[in-house]
Amino acid sequence: MADGTPTPPREASTFAPDPVFASNAVATRDLADRAHADRSAFWAEQADACVTWGRRPTETLDWSDPPFARWFADGTLNVAYNCLDRHVEAGHGERVALLWEGEPGDARAVTYAELTADVKRAANLLSSLGVGPGDRVVVYLPQIPEAVVAMLAVARLGAVHSVVFGGFSAESLRARIDDAEATLVITADGGWRKGSVSPLKPAVDAALALGGRSTVENVLVIRRGENAVDWVEGRDLWWHEALEGVEAEHTAEMFEAEHPLFILYTSGTTGRPKGILHTSGGYLTQVAYTHRNVFDLRPETDVYWCTADVGWITGHSYVVYGPLANGATQVLYEGTPDSPGPGRWWDLVEKYGVTILYTAPTAIRGFMKAGREIPQARDLTSLRLLGSVGEPINPEAWLWYREVIGSGTTPIVDTWWQTETGAMMISPLPGVTTTKPGAAQTPVPGIVVDVVDDQGVPVADGESGLLVVTEPWPSMLRGIWGDRDRYVETYWGRFGDRYFAGDGARRDDDGDIWLLGRVDDVMNVSGHRLSTAEIESALVSNPLVAESAVVGAADETTGQAVVAFVVLRDKKRRSVTPEEAVARLRAHVADRIGAIARPRTIVLVDELPKTRSGKIMRRLLRDVAEGREVGDTTTLADSAVMGVITAEMR
Ligand code: PRX
């Protein structure tokens, strides 16, 4: 590795829980025993421990109509009340909820009392704009306290938020607005990223100006970037002006446990993102339960920091709902890790005395590259637990994380889960599990998983297979917005009543689970999910392109990188240089989907490798993109194609 960290053999590097840590840990060994003895009673117990119910549920799980689960169905709750008012009522109003830091260095500490008041006012405002239970509100914001306020205000009213990551383009935003039929968009003029203001409101304007009538009636604009913005009278409202004089009293109405809480779009195997639907009671139970037990949370003393953006599921579950339901104090940071310098994150850890840090392997690998002297120049001794999420963490990165960031002592929890699962599913428990670098290891108590072959038969330990979840879980997705059939087919079509995650996995001889990456056409770039089909359709929408095939190729920093093989249209080919074509196409993808989807490499080819039936053989392209010997080409219609492509790559 860049800084010379040795890679010890895997067997040698297991880490038993520190005895002092283990003897005080929140999660103890008996948690798994209790879950195992009676799963239903276990989840009922967690629902009681984690949630303040309006009406306590008497039913735990209704699985009479699989794959449509109902959890705690006769209970009622208000999710925002659980994240706010109840902490104030319990006397913790003065506790800091958010230690927010803007990228330019401006900072704000927001207490639970203040956050509660802000959310109540925002709820009153939204209500005056006509937002009511079940209505959809799109949130397109930077990482500022108002993003949390907006989400909770929507939830408080029983409306449904659909947060769209600020890096998505106008077109992606519009597709999500239309699919959800949102009536309100909450955005900001702009937010700070990499040392300058990145505009957001112009993207909303552009999205709403695209063809066809949109369902949006109002756009609420938070002032953050102070960049100039256009204004549509009657539609656009400044957040701060609209809030003037709005009441700070608001009584939270109780909603049924299965009331929708949010939609979050994620990439699937087709060109069209899926609106993953989550509901209230089960979701809140599992995010709060895992946040408390997996992170060994002490709300009175911990300073927790999850670096994810609220635009992703990790931001929903482990920035907003889990930590706030647990009354935690957390850092919220607006910017990028390297602004203004490569030590920014470690400055924040030192400044706020962060005790629990949750981030993605791609960030860790980036820090490894930059060198250990950067974090080592800061005091990181406050850290007592580290978490990883979003992609498999390679053992080298795991060991570096523990040694350099965690002073060689902190437990690391490698948490496997998905937008669809809503909350953590597989993770070590820090006071219980002897950890293995690179493995997520054990289902969290209450969760049951298996590794099966193509036919659904469990594979032997040591063999690779497909990960399935064999029992329903409280925070499971309840569907794909507006597409019942796609939900059934995508996740349940393959193995009946077992949930197919789309990931490969292997159990080792100790029964520990190692995640092996996606087995479908979904890529994972810097911990972000992207669909090969979506990028392909963006490419072919450019007049230069006749055909394209996209693959995720292994990348040292980003896990996977987008590599596109493109056949240009004959006529167009003559009008541009290859360099121009590549530059234009990279920009085109960023424009159509967002900068995260911009291909790292575009290879112009004369032909794509296809089977006789016309199917593109991505497996072969992946071999080329990763610099491997090309695999079996006997099923190709034209076996010479791969030789030409390989030559073109060089
Ligand atoms: O392939 C798995 C990978 O990320 C996918 C889910 O992506 P997304 O829905 O965007 O959610 C990311 C944050 C939860 C999974 O199908 N993944 C996530 N966590 C891990 C992981 N792969 C290996 N190890 C993990 N800890």
Side-chain angles (χ1 to χ4, degrees):
M1 287 328 297
D3 66 352
T5 305
T7 312
R10 272 173 195 170
E11 311 78 66
S13 48
T14 60
F15 299 90
D18 174 80
V20 178
F21 191 111
S23 62
N24 292 307
V26 171
T28 50
R29 204 167 284 281
D30 69 307
L31 201 65
D33 299 339
R34 289 198 329 261
H36 193 67
D38 187 342
R39 226 175 68 85
S40 178
F42 176 81
W43 281 119
E45 188 191 311
Q46 295 311 324
D48 249 351
C50 298
V51 175
T52 301
W53 297 91
R55 185 174 64 227
R56 270 187 70 205
T58 60
E59 294 167 21
T60 302
L61 167 66
D62 175 1
W63 191 232
S64 57
D65 181 25
F68 298 93
R70 291 164 59 79
W71 282 89
F72 314 118
D74 63 343
T76 63
L77 76 160
N78 184 290
V79 172
Y81 169 88
N82 272 274
C83 293
L84 301 164
D85 317 44
R86 66 164 168 165
H87 304 312
V88 178
E89 288 166 12
H92 305 311
E94 294 315 303
R95 185 184 296 164
V96 172
L98 304 176
L99 288 162
W100 177 74
E101 177 130 338
E103 197 186 76
D106 47 339
R108 260 162 75 191
V110 185
T111 65
Y112 273 93
E114 289 165 340
L115 193 62
T116 305
D118 286 351
V119 169
K120 287 180 173 179
R121 289 173 70 219
N124 282 327
L125 168 60
L126 299 191
S127 183
S128 74
L129 293 174
V131 175
D135 292 344
R136 275 82 59 206
V137 176
V138 163
V139 174
Y140 187 62
L141 283 174
Q143 193 85 329
I144 52 177
E146 288 82 356
V148 179
V149 172
M151 289 165 74
L152 290 174
V154 171
R156 191 173 185 94
L157 296 173
V160 181
H161 57 69
S162 166
V163 184
V164 179
F165 173 60
F168 277 118
S169 67
E171 219 165 294
S172 295
L173 175 63
R174 176 62 186 266
R176 286 156 173 76
I177 289 172
D178 285 353
D179 190 72
E181 299 178 287
T183 50
L184 175 70
V185 176
I186 306 179
T187 189
D189 46 3
W192 284 86
R193 275 189 77 75
K194 297 190 181 167
S196 59
V197 171
S198 161
L200 287 167
K201 168 73 162 58
V204 176
D205 292 338
L208 296 180
L210 289 167
R213 251 183 72 87
S214 102
T215 43
V216 171
E217 288 161 18
N218 288 110
V219 177
L220 264 175
V221 189
I222 293 159
R223 183 179 277 160
R224 166 63 187 150
E226 309 208 350
N227 45 314
V229 289
D230 291 338
W231 212 249
V232 176
E233 285 308 326
R235 184 196 74 183
D236 300 348
L237 299 161
W238 282 110
W239 171 265
H240 61 276
E241 286 179 7
L243 276 170
E244 265 169 39
V246 173
E247 269 275 328
E249 261 329 301
H250 182 272
T251 308
E253 192 186 326
M254 298 293 152
F255 297 96
E256 294 194 344
E258 284 297 340
H259 189 81
L261 179 62
F262 65 84
I263 305 168
L264 184 59
Y265 287 84
T266 189
S267 299
T269 52
T270 73
R272 211 160 51 85
K274 306 178 276 197
I276 303 299
L277 176 68
H278 283 287
T279 59
S280 305
Y283 173 80
L284 196 67
T285 297
Q286 195 174 330
V287 294
Y289 153 74
T290 48
H291 183 258
R292 183 182 298 177
N293 287 286
V294 173
F295 291 137
D296 192 56
L297 182 79
R298 323 280 160 156
E300 308 77 25
T301 49
D302 272 320
V303 178
Y304 163 83
W305 183 20
C306 167
T307 65
D309 190 280
V310 292
W312 307 110
I313 191 67
T314 308
H316 283 59
S317 301
Y318 297 104
V319 174
V320 180
Y321 293 109
L324 296 177
N326 285 335
T329 295
Q330 68 176 319
V331 171
L332 186 72
Y333 170 55
E334 178 186 35
T336 47
D338 49 0
S339 277
R344 184 64 187 274
W345 274 18
W346 315 119
D347 288 339
L348 291 172
V349 169
E350 183 176 287
K351 175 174 174 185
Y352 294 109
V354 173
T355 57
I356 303 169
L357 178 69
Y358 190 34
T359 193
T362 193
I364 300 163
R365 289 190 296 266
F367 292 125
M368 286 171 79
K369 245 193 193 161
R372 63 172 62 200
E373 42 312 329
I374 298 166
Q376 278 175 343
R378 276 86 180 171
D379 180 2
L380 306 183
T381 51
S382 55
L383 288 169
R384 66 179 194 89
L385 189 135
L386 302 174
S388 174
V389 62
E391 51 181 314
I393 179 164
N394 46 313
E396 296 77 10
W398 196 105
L399 290 166
W400 189 92
Y401 195 25
R402 177 170 160 110
E403 190 188 323
V404 179
I405 307 304
S407 319
T409 56
T410 56
I412 293 186
V413 288
D414 172 11
T415 63
W416 177 89
W417 58 291
Q418 308 176 298
T419 305
E420 291 87 340
T421 70
M424 296 168 185
M425 300 292 280
I426 306 179
S427 170
L429 289 178
V432 176
T433 315
T434 293
T435 51
K436 291 179 184 170
Q441 295 188 288
T442 47
V444 298
I447 299 300
V448 194
V449 304
D450 206 348
V451 182
V452 301
D453 65 16
D454 271 341
Q455 270 65 54
V457 179
V459 302
D461 287 352
E463 274 173 37
S464 302
L466 305 170
L467 183 71
V468 291
V469 185
T470 56
E471 300 290 339
W473 63 101
S475 64
M476 66 196 282
L477 76 165
R478 298 303 198 266
I480 294 175
W481 187 255
D483 202 339
R484 186 187 161 100
D485 294 347
R486 191 173 176 193
Y487 166 67
V488 176
E489 277 158 30
T490 310
Y491 304 106
W492 308 92
R494 198 146 171 185
F495 302 120
D497 61 353
R498 287 172 294 177
Y499 169 86
F500 174 51
D503 278 52
R506 177 173 64 83
R507 269 210 177 95
D508 66 17
D509 294 338
D510 303 325
D512 283 322
I513 292 172
W514 296 71
L515 276 308
L516 304 175
R518 301 287 306 194
V519 296
D520 51 13
D521 291 328
V522 170
M523 295 172 286
N524 193 326
V525 179
S526 298
H528 298 148
R529 246 164 99 162
L530 296 170
S531 137
T532 55
E534 197 180 353
I535 300 176
E536 284 166 7
S537 57
L539 282 166
V540 295
S541 74
N542 188 292
L544 285 172
V545 177
E547 237 189 327
S548 83
V550 167
V551 297
D555 182 280
E556 213 179 279
T557 307
T558 59
Q560 283 189 310
V562 179
V563 178
F565 295 83
V566 170
V567 181
L568 295 182
R569 281 177 199 272
D570 260 349
K571 276 199 201 125
K572 302 281 175 183
R573 194 159 21 179
R574 285 177 226 123
S575 65
V576 285
T577 63
E579 293 74 26
E580 258 173 44
V582 166
R584 272 208 234 163
L585 293 179
R586 291 184 74 232
H588 178 76
V589 173
D591 196 47
R592 289 298 295 257
I593 304 176
I596 45 166
R598 186 190 288 132
R600 182 196 69 187
T601 313
I602 294 184
V603 189
L604 302 178
V605 295
D606 289 331
E607 231 182 302
L608 293 172
K610 289 188 186 155
T611 59
R612 278 171 208 100
S613 60
K615 200 170 165 307
I616 295 171
M617 293 192 70
R618 286 197 181 69
R619 172 174 61 78
L620 301 178
L621 293 173
R622 217 170 292 129
D623 289 342
V624 178
E626 293 179 350
R628 260 195 314 273
E629 191 72 17
V630 172
D632 182 7
T633 58
T634 48
T635 51
L636 279 180
D638 173 1
S639 57
V641 169
M642 285 317 296
V644 178
I645 292 178
T646 311
E648 273 160 340
M649 269 303 270
R650 291 206 187 101

